[in-house]
mmCIF file of all heavy atoms in Angstrom:
data_model
loop_
_atom_site.group_PDB
_atom_site.id
_atom_site.type_symbol
_atom_site.label_atom_id
_atom_site.label_comp_id
_atom_site.label_asym_id
_atom_site.label_seq_id
_atom_site.Cartn_x
_atom_site.Cartn_y
_atom_site.Cartn_z
ATOM 1 N N GLU L 1 138.229 57.191 131.890
ATOM 2 C CA GLU L 1 139.651 57.175 131.549
ATOM 3 C C GLU L 1 139.940 57.679 130.142
ATOM 4 O O GLU L 1 140.859 58.462 129.925
ATOM 5 C CB GLU L 1 140.211 55.757 131.703
ATOM 6 C CG GLU L 1 140.275 55.285 133.135
ATOM 7 C CD GLU L 1 140.732 53.845 133.277
ATOM 8 O OE1 GLU L 1 140.948 53.164 132.238
ATOM 9 O OE2 GLU L 1 140.877 53.394 134.424
ATOM 10 N N LEU L 2 139.180 57.221 129.160
ATOM 11 C CA LEU L 2 139.474 57.574 127.770
ATOM 12 C C LEU L 2 138.799 58.854 127.306
ATOM 13 O O LEU L 2 139.331 59.572 126.463
ATOM 14 C CB LEU L 2 139.072 56.434 126.831
ATOM 15 C CG LEU L 2 139.859 55.139 126.966
ATOM 16 C CD1 LEU L 2 139.338 54.099 125.994
ATOM 17 C CD2 LEU L 2 141.339 55.380 126.733
ATOM 18 N N TYR L 3 137.602 59.098 127.818
ATOM 19 C CA TYR L 3 136.835 60.234 127.315
ATOM 20 C C TYR L 3 136.735 61.383 128.311
ATOM 21 O O TYR L 3 136.098 62.390 128.027
ATOM 22 C CB TYR L 3 135.435 59.770 126.889
ATOM 23 C CG TYR L 3 135.490 58.611 125.926
ATOM 24 C CD1 TYR L 3 134.890 57.404 126.227
ATOM 25 C CD2 TYR L 3 136.173 58.713 124.715
ATOM 26 C CE1 TYR L 3 134.955 56.325 125.350
ATOM 27 C CE2 TYR L 3 136.249 57.652 123.835
ATOM 28 C CZ TYR L 3 135.639 56.462 124.159
ATOM 29 O OH TYR L 3 135.713 55.401 123.293
ATOM 30 N N GLY L 4 137.337 61.210 129.487
ATOM 31 C CA GLY L 4 137.393 62.287 130.455
ATOM 32 C C GLY L 4 136.079 62.643 131.126
ATOM 33 O O GLY L 4 135.939 63.739 131.663
ATOM 34 N N LEU L 5 135.112 61.732 131.088
ATOM 35 C CA LEU L 5 133.849 62.017 131.760
ATOM 36 C C LEU L 5 134.037 62.020 133.267
ATOM 37 O O LEU L 5 134.834 61.255 133.809
ATOM 38 C CB LEU L 5 132.786 60.980 131.394
ATOM 39 C CG LEU L 5 132.265 60.991 129.962
ATOM 40 C CD1 LEU L 5 131.206 59.909 129.785
ATOM 41 C CD2 LEU L 5 131.680 62.342 129.601
ATOM 42 N N ASP L 6 133.317 62.873 133.932
ATOM 43 C CA ASP L 6 133.324 62.939 135.390
ATOM 44 C C ASP L 6 132.786 61.627 135.936
ATOM 45 O O ASP L 6 131.715 61.171 135.523
ATOM 46 C CB ASP L 6 132.447 64.113 135.830
ATOM 47 C CG ASP L 6 132.411 64.285 137.328
ATOM 48 O OD1 ASP L 6 131.908 63.376 138.020
ATOM 49 O OD2 ASP L 6 132.865 65.336 137.797
ATOM 50 N N ALA L 7 133.511 61.002 136.850
ATOM 51 C CA ALA L 7 133.121 59.699 137.391
ATOM 52 C C ALA L 7 131.718 59.727 137.987
ATOM 53 O O ALA L 7 130.984 58.741 137.906
ATOM 54 C CB ALA L 7 134.138 59.251 138.441
ATOM 55 N N LYS L 8 131.348 60.843 138.558
ATOM 56 C CA LYS L 8 130.042 60.974 139.189
ATOM 57 C C LYS L 8 128.899 60.865 138.178
ATOM 58 O O LYS L 8 127.833 60.355 138.475
ATOM 59 C CB LYS L 8 129.952 62.322 139.920
ATOM 60 C CG LYS L 8 128.748 62.452 140.827
ATOM 61 C CD LYS L 8 128.599 63.853 141.393
ATOM 62 C CE LYS L 8 129.753 64.222 142.282
ATOM 63 N NZ LYS L 8 129.548 65.540 142.935
ATOM 64 N N HIS L 9 129.142 61.332 136.960
ATOM 65 C CA HIS L 9 128.093 61.361 135.954
ATOM 66 C C HIS L 9 128.296 60.338 134.826
ATOM 67 O O HIS L 9 127.444 60.226 133.945
ATOM 68 C CB HIS L 9 128.005 62.763 135.346
ATOM 69 C CG HIS L 9 127.709 63.805 136.364
ATOM 70 N ND1 HIS L 9 128.669 64.665 136.832
ATOM 71 C CD2 HIS L 9 126.574 64.108 137.030
ATOM 72 C CE1 HIS L 9 128.129 65.461 137.737
ATOM 73 N NE2 HIS L 9 126.861 65.148 137.878
ATOM 74 N N ALA L 10 129.389 59.622 134.868
ATOM 75 C CA ALA L 10 129.717 58.712 133.760
ATOM 76 C C ALA L 10 128.683 57.604 133.597
ATOM 77 O O ALA L 10 128.278 57.300 132.472
ATOM 78 C CB ALA L 10 131.106 58.123 133.969
ATOM 79 N N GLU L 11 128.244 57.002 134.691
ATOM 80 C CA GLU L 11 127.291 55.900 134.570
ATOM 81 C C GLU L 11 125.987 56.365 133.942
ATOM 82 O O GLU L 11 125.465 55.713 133.026
ATOM 83 C CB GLU L 11 127.018 55.229 135.915
ATOM 84 C CG GLU L 11 126.111 54.029 135.778
ATOM 85 C CD GLU L 11 125.972 53.212 137.049
ATOM 86 O OE1 GLU L 11 126.658 53.500 138.038
ATOM 87 O OE2 GLU L 11 125.160 52.274 137.031
ATOM 88 N N SER L 12 125.466 57.479 134.383
ATOM 89 C CA SER L 12 124.209 57.954 133.800
ATOM 90 C C SER L 12 124.404 58.331 132.327
ATOM 91 O O SER L 12 123.516 58.120 131.509
ATOM 92 C CB SER L 12 123.634 59.130 134.586
ATOM 93 O OG SER L 12 124.472 60.256 134.497
ATOM 94 N N SER L 13 125.570 58.834 131.980
ATOM 95 C CA SER L 13 125.855 59.170 130.594
ATOM 96 C C SER L 13 125.904 57.918 129.721
ATOM 97 O O SER L 13 125.354 57.908 128.610
ATOM 98 C CB SER L 13 127.182 59.926 130.505
ATOM 99 O OG SER L 13 127.490 60.220 129.175
ATOM 100 N N VAL L 14 126.529 56.867 130.212
ATOM 101 C CA VAL L 14 126.599 55.603 129.480
ATOM 102 C C VAL L 14 125.195 55.027 129.290
ATOM 103 O O VAL L 14 124.831 54.583 128.194
ATOM 104 C CB VAL L 14 127.530 54.598 130.203
ATOM 105 C CG1 VAL L 14 127.389 53.202 129.633
ATOM 106 C CG2 VAL L 14 128.977 55.073 130.133
ATOM 107 N N ILE L 15 124.401 55.060 130.331
ATOM 108 C CA ILE L 15 123.035 54.530 130.262
ATOM 109 C C ILE L 15 122.184 55.348 129.280
ATOM 110 O O ILE L 15 121.434 54.788 128.471
ATOM 111 C CB ILE L 15 122.398 54.479 131.666
ATOM 112 C CG1 ILE L 15 123.110 53.410 132.504
ATOM 113 C CG2 ILE L 15 120.900 54.224 131.588
ATOM 114 C CD1 ILE L 15 122.766 53.437 133.985
ATOM 115 N N LYS L 16 122.315 56.676 129.328
ATOM 116 C CA LYS L 16 121.564 57.538 128.400
ATOM 117 C C LYS L 16 121.990 57.286 126.954
ATOM 118 O O LYS L 16 121.151 57.256 126.052
ATOM 119 C CB LYS L 16 121.772 59.006 128.755
ATOM 120 C CG LYS L 16 121.001 59.457 129.975
ATOM 121 C CD LYS L 16 121.288 60.911 130.280
ATOM 122 C CE LYS L 16 120.671 61.292 131.613
ATOM 123 N NZ LYS L 16 121.034 62.662 132.018
ATOM 124 N N THR L 17 123.279 57.100 126.746
ATOM 125 C CA THR L 17 123.778 56.822 125.401
ATOM 126 C C THR L 17 123.212 55.502 124.886
ATOM 127 O O THR L 17 122.795 55.401 123.728
ATOM 128 C CB THR L 17 125.319 56.807 125.379
ATOM 129 O OG1 THR L 17 125.792 58.097 125.783
ATOM 130 C CG2 THR L 17 125.856 56.480 124.003
ATOM 131 N N ASP L 18 123.184 54.491 125.744
ATOM 132 C CA ASP L 18 122.594 53.208 125.355
ATOM 133 C C ASP L 18 121.128 53.371 124.975
ATOM 134 O O ASP L 18 120.661 52.792 123.993
ATOM 135 C CB ASP L 18 122.690 52.195 126.504
ATOM 136 C CG ASP L 18 124.019 51.491 126.560
ATOM 137 O OD1 ASP L 18 124.862 51.712 125.666
ATOM 138 O OD2 ASP L 18 124.223 50.699 127.494
ATOM 139 N N LYS L 19 120.412 54.148 125.750
ATOM 140 C CA LYS L 19 118.990 54.348 125.481
ATOM 141 C C LYS L 19 118.796 55.036 124.126
ATOM 142 O O LYS L 19 117.923 54.645 123.344
ATOM 143 C CB LYS L 19 118.347 55.168 126.595
ATOM 144 C CG LYS L 19 116.855 55.254 126.479
ATOM 145 C CD LYS L 19 116.231 55.901 127.698
ATOM 146 C CE LYS L 19 114.724 55.866 127.554
ATOM 147 N NZ LYS L 19 114.032 56.336 128.725
ATOM 148 N N LYS L 20 119.633 56.036 123.837
ATOM 149 C CA LYS L 20 119.547 56.731 122.551
ATOM 150 C C LYS L 20 119.862 55.765 121.404
ATOM 151 O O LYS L 20 119.179 55.770 120.383
ATOM 152 C CB LYS L 20 120.515 57.911 122.517
ATOM 153 C CG LYS L 20 120.095 59.082 123.367
ATOM 154 C CD LYS L 20 121.131 60.178 123.297
ATOM 155 C CE LYS L 20 120.801 61.305 124.255
ATOM 156 N NZ LYS L 20 121.843 62.351 124.266
ATOM 157 N N ARG L 21 120.901 54.956 121.572
ATOM 158 C CA ARG L 21 121.265 53.991 120.534
ATOM 159 C C ARG L 21 120.129 52.994 120.303
ATOM 160 O O ARG L 21 119.781 52.692 119.158
ATOM 161 C CB ARG L 21 122.534 53.237 120.927
ATOM 162 C CG ARG L 21 123.779 54.059 120.826
ATOM 163 C CD ARG L 21 124.991 53.272 121.276
ATOM 164 N NE ARG L 21 126.191 54.069 121.116
ATOM 165 C CZ ARG L 21 127.274 53.932 121.839
ATOM 166 N NH1 ARG L 21 127.341 53.004 122.773
ATOM 167 N NH2 ARG L 21 128.325 54.693 121.626
ATOM 168 N N ALA L 22 119.575 52.493 121.389
ATOM 169 C CA ALA L 22 118.490 51.515 121.277
ATOM 170 C C ALA L 22 117.269 52.135 120.609
ATOM 171 O O ALA L 22 116.664 51.527 119.725
ATOM 172 C CB ALA L 22 118.126 50.968 122.657
ATOM 173 N N ASN L 23 116.905 53.330 121.011
ATOM 174 C CA ASN L 23 115.749 54.002 120.419
ATOM 175 C C ASN L 23 115.953 54.243 118.926
ATOM 176 O O ASN L 23 115.044 54.017 118.126
ATOM 177 C CB ASN L 23 115.454 55.321 121.128
ATOM 178 C CG ASN L 23 114.850 55.121 122.498
ATOM 179 O OD1 ASN L 23 114.297 54.073 122.807
ATOM 180 N ND2 ASN L 23 114.969 56.133 123.347
ATOM 181 N N TYR L 24 117.121 54.707 118.556
ATOM 182 C CA TYR L 24 117.436 54.953 117.146
ATOM 183 C C TYR L 24 117.315 53.654 116.356
ATOM 184 O O TYR L 24 116.639 53.589 115.338
ATOM 185 C CB TYR L 24 118.857 55.521 117.029
ATOM 186 C CG TYR L 24 119.304 55.778 115.616
ATOM 187 C CD1 TYR L 24 119.130 57.028 115.040
ATOM 188 C CD2 TYR L 24 119.904 54.783 114.855
ATOM 189 C CE1 TYR L 24 119.537 57.283 113.735
ATOM 190 C CE2 TYR L 24 120.308 55.019 113.549
ATOM 191 C CZ TYR L 24 120.130 56.269 112.999
ATOM 192 O OH TYR L 24 120.530 56.502 111.709
ATOM 193 N N TYR L 25 117.994 52.623 116.840
ATOM 194 C CA TYR L 25 118.015 51.332 116.146
ATOM 195 C C TYR L 25 116.606 50.747 116.042
ATOM 196 O O TYR L 25 116.175 50.332 114.973
ATOM 197 C CB TYR L 25 118.944 50.372 116.880
ATOM 198 C CG TYR L 25 119.128 49.050 116.167
ATOM 199 C CD1 TYR L 25 120.101 48.903 115.192
ATOM 200 C CD2 TYR L 25 118.335 47.952 116.462
ATOM 201 C CE1 TYR L 25 120.276 47.698 114.533
ATOM 202 C CE2 TYR L 25 118.495 46.746 115.804
ATOM 203 C CZ TYR L 25 119.468 46.629 114.836
ATOM 204 O OH TYR L 25 119.633 45.441 114.180
ATOM 205 N N ASN L 26 115.900 50.709 117.158
ATOM 206 C CA ASN L 26 114.561 50.130 117.188
ATOM 207 C C ASN L 26 113.606 50.888 116.262
ATOM 208 O O ASN L 26 112.793 50.282 115.564
ATOM 209 C CB ASN L 26 114.010 50.115 118.609
ATOM 210 C CG ASN L 26 114.855 49.292 119.565
ATOM 211 O OD1 ASN L 26 115.742 48.548 119.167
ATOM 212 N ND2 ASN L 26 114.605 49.453 120.846
ATOM 213 N N TYR L 27 113.702 52.208 116.264
ATOM 214 C CA TYR L 27 112.813 53.031 115.443
ATOM 215 C C TYR L 27 113.039 52.792 113.947
ATOM 216 O O TYR L 27 112.102 52.602 113.191
ATOM 217 C CB TYR L 27 113.008 54.515 115.775
ATOM 218 C CG TYR L 27 112.162 55.431 114.943
ATOM 219 C CD1 TYR L 27 110.826 55.648 115.263
ATOM 220 C CD2 TYR L 27 112.687 56.083 113.825
ATOM 221 C CE1 TYR L 27 110.030 56.485 114.491
ATOM 222 C CE2 TYR L 27 111.899 56.920 113.055
ATOM 223 C CZ TYR L 27 110.576 57.120 113.392
ATOM 224 O OH TYR L 27 109.794 57.956 112.621
ATOM 225 N N PHE L 28 114.309 52.825 113.539
ATOM 226 C CA PHE L 28 114.606 52.748 112.113
ATOM 227 C C PHE L 28 114.615 51.330 111.544
ATOM 228 O O PHE L 28 114.502 51.148 110.338
ATOM 229 C CB PHE L 28 115.935 53.443 111.797
ATOM 230 C CG PHE L 28 115.817 54.936 111.836
ATOM 231 C CD1 PHE L 28 116.324 55.649 112.909
ATOM 232 C CD2 PHE L 28 115.174 55.631 110.824
ATOM 233 C CE1 PHE L 28 116.210 57.029 112.961
ATOM 234 C CE2 PHE L 28 115.049 57.009 110.870
ATOM 235 C CZ PHE L 28 115.568 57.714 111.940
ATOM 236 N N THR L 29 114.744 50.321 112.390
ATOM 237 C CA THR L 29 114.833 48.955 111.875
ATOM 238 C C THR L 29 113.637 48.083 112.229
ATOM 239 O O THR L 29 113.422 47.056 111.588
ATOM 240 C CB THR L 29 116.091 48.242 112.422
ATOM 241 O OG1 THR L 29 115.934 48.004 113.818
ATOM 242 C CG2 THR L 29 117.350 49.045 112.147
ATOM 243 N N GLY L 30 112.913 48.438 113.277
ATOM 244 C CA GLY L 30 111.839 47.575 113.759
ATOM 245 C C GLY L 30 112.376 46.361 114.508
ATOM 246 O O GLY L 30 111.632 45.450 114.852
ATOM 247 N N ARG L 31 113.664 46.357 114.747
ATOM 248 C CA ARG L 31 114.317 45.276 115.492
ATOM 249 C C ARG L 31 114.713 45.782 116.876
ATOM 250 O O ARG L 31 114.649 46.967 117.149
ATOM 251 C CB ARG L 31 115.602 44.834 114.792
ATOM 252 C CG ARG L 31 115.426 44.248 113.422
ATOM 253 C CD ARG L 31 116.798 43.956 112.873
ATOM 254 N NE ARG L 31 116.776 43.271 111.601
ATOM 255 C CZ ARG L 31 117.873 42.978 110.924
ATOM 256 N NH1 ARG L 31 119.057 43.308 111.390
ATOM 257 N NH2 ARG L 31 117.788 42.349 109.772
ATOM 258 N N LYS L 32 115.169 44.853 117.711
ATOM 259 C CA LYS L 32 115.630 45.231 119.041
ATOM 260 C C LYS L 32 117.156 45.333 119.051
ATOM 261 O O LYS L 32 117.854 44.388 118.691
ATOM 262 C CB LYS L 32 115.168 44.215 120.088
ATOM 263 C CG LYS L 32 115.533 44.631 121.488
ATOM 264 C CD LYS L 32 114.953 43.735 122.538
ATOM 265 C CE LYS L 32 115.398 44.258 123.896
ATOM 266 N NZ LYS L 32 114.998 43.420 124.970
ATOM 267 N N TRP L 33 117.663 46.492 119.457
ATOM 268 C CA TRP L 33 119.096 46.747 119.519
ATOM 269 C C TRP L 33 119.776 45.767 120.476
ATOM 270 O O TRP L 33 119.277 45.497 121.567
ATOM 271 C CB TRP L 33 119.339 48.180 119.993
ATOM 272 C CG TRP L 33 120.772 48.581 120.097
ATOM 273 C CD1 TRP L 33 121.628 48.797 119.059
ATOM 274 C CD2 TRP L 33 121.510 48.847 121.280
ATOM 275 N NE1 TRP L 33 122.848 49.179 119.540
ATOM 276 C CE2 TRP L 33 122.802 49.216 120.902
ATOM 277 C CE3 TRP L 33 121.193 48.805 122.642
ATOM 278 C CZ2 TRP L 33 123.789 49.544 121.821
ATOM 279 C CZ3 TRP L 33 122.170 49.120 123.554
ATOM 280 C CH2 TRP L 33 123.459 49.487 123.144
ATOM 281 N N GLY L 34 120.873 45.201 120.044
ATOM 282 C CA GLY L 34 121.651 44.294 120.876
ATOM 283 C C GLY L 34 121.202 42.849 120.835
ATOM 284 O O GLY L 34 121.845 41.986 121.430
ATOM 285 N N LYS L 35 120.123 42.563 120.152
ATOM 286 C CA LYS L 35 119.629 41.194 120.068
ATOM 287 C C LYS L 35 120.603 40.374 119.220
ATOM 288 O O LYS L 35 120.902 40.723 118.075
ATOM 289 C CB LYS L 35 118.227 41.174 119.457
ATOM 290 C CG LYS L 35 117.527 39.856 119.594
ATOM 291 C CD LYS L 35 116.071 39.974 119.179
ATOM 292 C CE LYS L 35 115.376 38.655 119.410
ATOM 293 N NZ LYS L 35 113.977 38.718 119.007
ATOM 294 N N LEU L 36 121.088 39.292 119.779
ATOM 295 C CA LEU L 36 122.161 38.533 119.145
ATOM 296 C C LEU L 36 121.812 38.004 117.762
ATOM 297 O O LEU L 36 122.700 37.861 116.917
ATOM 298 C CB LEU L 36 122.593 37.384 120.055
ATOM 299 C CG LEU L 36 123.198 37.808 121.398
ATOM 300 C CD1 LEU L 36 123.604 36.592 122.201
ATOM 301 C CD2 LEU L 36 124.364 38.752 121.206
#
């Protein structure tokens, strides 16, 4: 709705983005992304 992603590919895009964020965070901090 907000970013105009194709519904067919939106879920995989969201999951890939999460993976990139987690990898970046985990690599640079030594912590786990999203850990409360």
